[in-house]
Each structure stands twice: as structure tokens, then as C-alpha cells.
Amino acid sequence: MRTIIFTLTALIGATTATAQTAAPETLILQNARAYTMAGEGGGLIENADIDVRGGVIVAVGQDLAVPEDARAVDAKGRIVTPGLFAPWSQLGLVEIGLDQESNDASPEGDYPHSASLDAADAFNPASTLIPVNRAGGVTRAVAAPAPGDKVFGGLGAIVNLSGRPDSIVREGALQSAAMGYQGAARSGDTRMGAWAEFRDAIEEARGYAANPGGYALRPRMTGLTLNDLEALVPAARGTQPIVVAATGAADLRALIRMKARYGLNVIALGATEGHLVARELAAAQIPVILNPVLNLPEQFEMLGATQANAARLHAAGVTIAFYDPPSGTHNLRLLPQLAGNAVANGLPYAAALAALTINPARMYGVEGRYGSIEIGKAGDLVLWDGDPLEVSSRPAAVYIDGRQTSLTTRQTRLRDRYRDLSRGELPHAYRGAQ
């Protein structure tokens, strides 16, 4: 029998980017239909074995030897993918959208700070939304502030969904900004004002970086605080991604010009009319985070909405990932359903899986650690009970940094509590508490 074995003994026992209170177990997942996302066709390996030690993948292949200290899990031919990577959310920043106390997603009113707001300062790893989305196969996510009354929203972080106190894996992973009509509404109700404000902010941040001490005494055009300017410097220099909400083709072309002018590293968020400028986006190497099921124009800038958007962007060579803005943070677990709809409208299956895994990692420059099943990467794995893009499929097991995580959520606990509605000696809330 053909045997494919890759090993990296130097990584045995290596720690992951997120420290654990106890060392992850040695795990070998056997007999899987593994979409590794490394290579053509999703890097599919039939009858695959995956060896994870110290939270790190150390071997991928077929017929791997089982280490004496390993826990072997038979996948029984079921699909295994990398953990899903949600590219945009307010996870850990919002619990109940309509409750002000539990919603730190964005500032209210004419608050002075914008670009210097930092999701890491408010991220709550105990949020009940984390286990809900983890049970849907999401293992990594971007948690970022949503812009308030100003164009720039602030700094986002990359987090894992372990629920551990140390689950922030990269602070200051991105800056965020609102353009299109979102930006216009914050800038004199005109897109010209929004892009002028964007340019002024980039130039001011660069001026501040050149002479921070002297710049503090100068009048500032944009009204950005010194903390905002300092926080904006990496994005203004092109060393930090800026996730820019831009929906219409005209705004996407303006974003392309802005990237070329300043050498920025930008990611387009929304891009409902992205298919109209797909080749231009590909040539400019601007990735896109989109909702692939939009097909009706909710606004004037969405007149070109189509469910073929994802397929056409991919065909043009644009790197894509998915999000669902209306209820995205609460329902990141539904990202595979978005991907399934994109496949139904022409996106290749492997490309849809890439949009859920390796593509978001590439957008944020962490593809060397996350997004695929390869040696040296974090042991983020999902074992599915069916096709992950089918609405009836669910994860049978989710691993983060090689550690199997709980699939119990508040909803499953409520289900189990009230499954038996027969009368008893104690009220339902107290049964099983003794």
C-alpha cells in the first residue's frame, strides 16, 4: 500500500501561539477524507491520517504510525477540514445587540477617539456567542470594532474560540474604515468628503510618524487625536491591513486608486458590485470579504447585486472570504451555508472551502500558522458528520490547537433541561442540581 509520510520532529512538543493552562494531548486523526487546503482541489487526501502534538500538526499522510502516547480517533471516512476562520465580526465585543451595556462593538455619539479604539481592550472570551459559533466549526475569527460616527473604526484582533482567557492570538491585526455611503454619511453626506477625509488621515498619520514630537504642536485637519494618529501609522505605511467597507463599483475603483497612491494593504468589505470590477480588483491584489447570497439592491450602491458575485470574483483571480452582516457575529456558524449557496451559483467547491479557511488567513498574513492542514500549523481541525456545505451537516468534533473542544452551548443546555416536560418533585431549573 502506498504510504505518504511527512514528519517534522523538531516541532514535537512545540507550543502554539496561544498558551494553554495544560499541554494539549497527542492526537492522531485516522481514516479521514481530509481537505487540507494545501494544493489543487482543496488538497484532498483520501484515507488521511493527521498527527498533532503539542497543539501543532507534525505529520499528514496515509498509514501513519500511532505514537504510544497518542489518542487515536477514527474519522471513518468522514470529511475533515481546517477550522473555519471568520474574517469579520464583533465576536466577544457584543452579546446582545440592543443592550447598551453588553455591546462594545462601536462608540455612540460624537466620541473623540476612532482609529485608536482597540478590540483587545474589550474582548470577552466568556461570551456565550463563542461556544455557539465554535460548535459550528469556527475556530479562529477577527474581532473588530465597527466604525461609529467617524470613518475609522479602530484596531481588530485575531482570536481563537477556545473560550480561554488567553484566546487573543494577535492584537492590532487590522485597522477598519467605512467608505461608500457608510463613509459619506459620516463625512458631509458625500463620498467626496469621505475619501478626502480618508486621504487626510493617511497623510496626517505619515506626518506624525515622521516627527511625533513636533506634530503634537501642529493643527490637525481631520480632528483625529494623537492616539488615533499613532494607531493609524502601521496602516498608513501599508504594514497593517485596512478592512474598508466599500459596496459599489465606483467606491471599489476609488479604493484601488487609494491603494496605488499610498501603497496601502486594503481588504474590501462588502463589495456587492465587486463582480463589475473583478479584473481591476485582481490586478490591484485587493481581497474581498462578501456576502454571497445578496441578490437584491438594498441600497442605490447595490444595484448590481447578484448571487454570482463570489464565482465571478474568484474566476477573475480575486481572493475571497465570506461574512453575513445582518446577524454575522451571532451566526458565524452559518458561514458554510453561505459557501454552499456560492457553490450553487457557480463557485467551485474547493474555492468555497478556501474562502472559509485559508483565504482569511492569507488576507491577514497569518497563513503560515492557520487556515490549512500542514506541518507546522496549529492543530485546528473540524470533523464533520456530512458535507460541511450542506445545511444538515454539523461538526462531530472541533479541535483548537490540538485540543478537543466542547460542543455544548447555552442552547443545548436549555434543550436538555426541558427535554423531559413531565412533572417532578422539583421545578425544571433545580432538577439534577443535587
Side-chain angles (χ1 to χ4, degrees), residues 6-54:
F6 305 95
T7 58
L8 189 61
T9 57
L11 286 172
I12 296 175
T15 58
T16 64
T18 48
Q20 304 285 356
T21 56
E25 64 185 339
T26 299
L27 167 75
I28 185 161
L29 202 59
Q30 298 177 304
N31 304 318
R33 192 165 191 257
Y35 283 94
T36 65
M37 308 318 301
E40 297 295 325
L44 177 62
I45 301 177
E46 301 284 0
N47 302 315
D49 297 342
I50 304 164
D51 189 351
V52 183
R53 307 186 201 183

Side-chain angles (χ1 to χ4, degrees), residues 151-152 177-179 187 190-207 215 221-222 224 229 232 236 242 244 251 253-262 264:
V151 164
F152 288 94
M179 302 307 291
S187 309
T190 171
R191 286 172 172 80
M192 293 182 292
W195 287 113
E197 188 171 336
F198 188 94
R199 280 193 299 269
D200 286 349
I202 296 300
E203 291 175 0
E204 281 210 72
R206 289 184 168 188
Y215 206 83
M221 298 178 292
T222 60
L224 293 173
L229 290 176
L232 198 55
I242 312 177
V244 181
D251 288 305
R253 288 193 174 102
L255 183 61
I256 291 169
R257 293 194 298 271
M258 203 65 62
K259 174 179 180 176
R261 178 172 179 174
Y262 293 107
L264 303 177

Side-chain angles (χ1 to χ4, degrees), residues 387-405:
D387 186 328
L389 304 191
E390 291 286 347
V391 296
S392 59
S393 298
R394 296 290 183 273
V398 176
Y399 302 87
I400 298 177
D401 291 323
R403 183 189 299 273
Q404 186 167 358
T405 63

Side-chain angles (χ1 to χ4, degrees), residues 70-375:
R71 182 167 72 92
V73 176
D74 188 357
K76 299 179 180 178
R78 289 177 292 183
I79 291 175
V80 172
T81 67
L84 307 186
F85 193 138
W88 182 256
S89 79
Q90 283 72 54
L91 188 67
L93 305 180
V94 59
E95 194 73 19
I96 303 171
L98 297 179
D99 177 52
Q100 188 173 359
E101 181 191 0
S102 68
N103 189 343
D104 289 316
S106 64
E108 295 289 336
D110 190 20
Y111 184 72
H113 294 286
S114 56
S116 59
L117 297 175
D118 192 337
D121 293 333
F123 178 75
N124 175 21
S127 168
T128 60
L129 303 186
I130 289 176
V132 168
N133 289 308
R134 182 178 66 219
V138 181
T139 61
R140 307 276 160 176
V142 164
D149 286 345
K150 294 181 169 56
V151 164
F152 288 94
L155 299 166
I158 296 174
V159 303
N160 69 44
L161 275 72
S162 67
R164 294 176 172 271
D166 56 357
S167 53
I168 296 177
V169 298
R170 178 174 288 191
E171 297 184 19
L174 65 131
Q175 181 62 247
S176 59
M179 302 307 291
Y181 188 68
Q182 291 185 53
R186 294 165 169 83
S187 309
D189 210 32
T190 171
R191 286 172 172 80
M192 293 182 292
W195 287 113
E197 188 171 336
F198 188 94
R199 280 193 299 269
D200 286 349
I202 296 300
E203 291 175 0
E204 281 210 72
R206 289 184 168 188
Y208 172 84
N211 185 10
Y215 206 83
L217 303 176
R218 294 173 53 183
R220 293 185 292 282
M221 298 178 292
T222 60
L224 293 173
T225 68
L226 290 176
N227 285 339
D228 286 337
L229 290 176
E230 183 177 10
L232 198 55
V233 167
R237 287 175 167 171
T239 59
Q240 181 187 65
I242 312 177
V243 178
V244 181
T247 300
D251 288 305
L252 292 168
R253 288 193 174 102
L255 183 61
I256 291 169
R257 293 194 298 271
M258 203 65 62
K259 174 179 180 176
R261 178 172 179 174
Y262 293 107
L264 303 177
N265 178 3
V266 295
I267 300 169
L269 179 68
T272 307
E273 292 190 341
H275 62 98
L276 299 176
V277 292
R279 292 182 181 178
E280 297 163 67
L281 289 168
Q285 297 184 323
I286 295 179
V288 168
I289 301 170
L290 73 151
N291 182 346
V293 301
L294 289 179
N295 70 337
L296 294 175
E298 299 173 358
Q299 296 174 269
F300 181 79
E301 60 188 3
M302 296 183 180
L303 289 178
T306 172
Q307 290 187 350
N309 194 20
R312 293 175 185 175
L313 285 166
H314 169 74
V318 178
T319 299
I320 62 170
F322 300 135
Y323 85 128
D324 182 11
S327 58
T329 299
H330 289 74
N331 289 306
L332 300 176
R333 60 194 174 87
L334 300 183
L335 288 175
Q337 294 186 23
L338 298 183
N341 276 274
V343 171
N345 286 277
L347 185 68
Y349 185 88
L353 287 180
L356 298 172
T357 55
I358 189 62
N359 285 359
R362 287 173 178 149
M363 291 179 183
Y364 295 109
V366 293
E367 71 275 18
R369 190 64 180 170
Y370 310 116
S372 63
I373 302 173
E374 296 181 87
I375 291 170

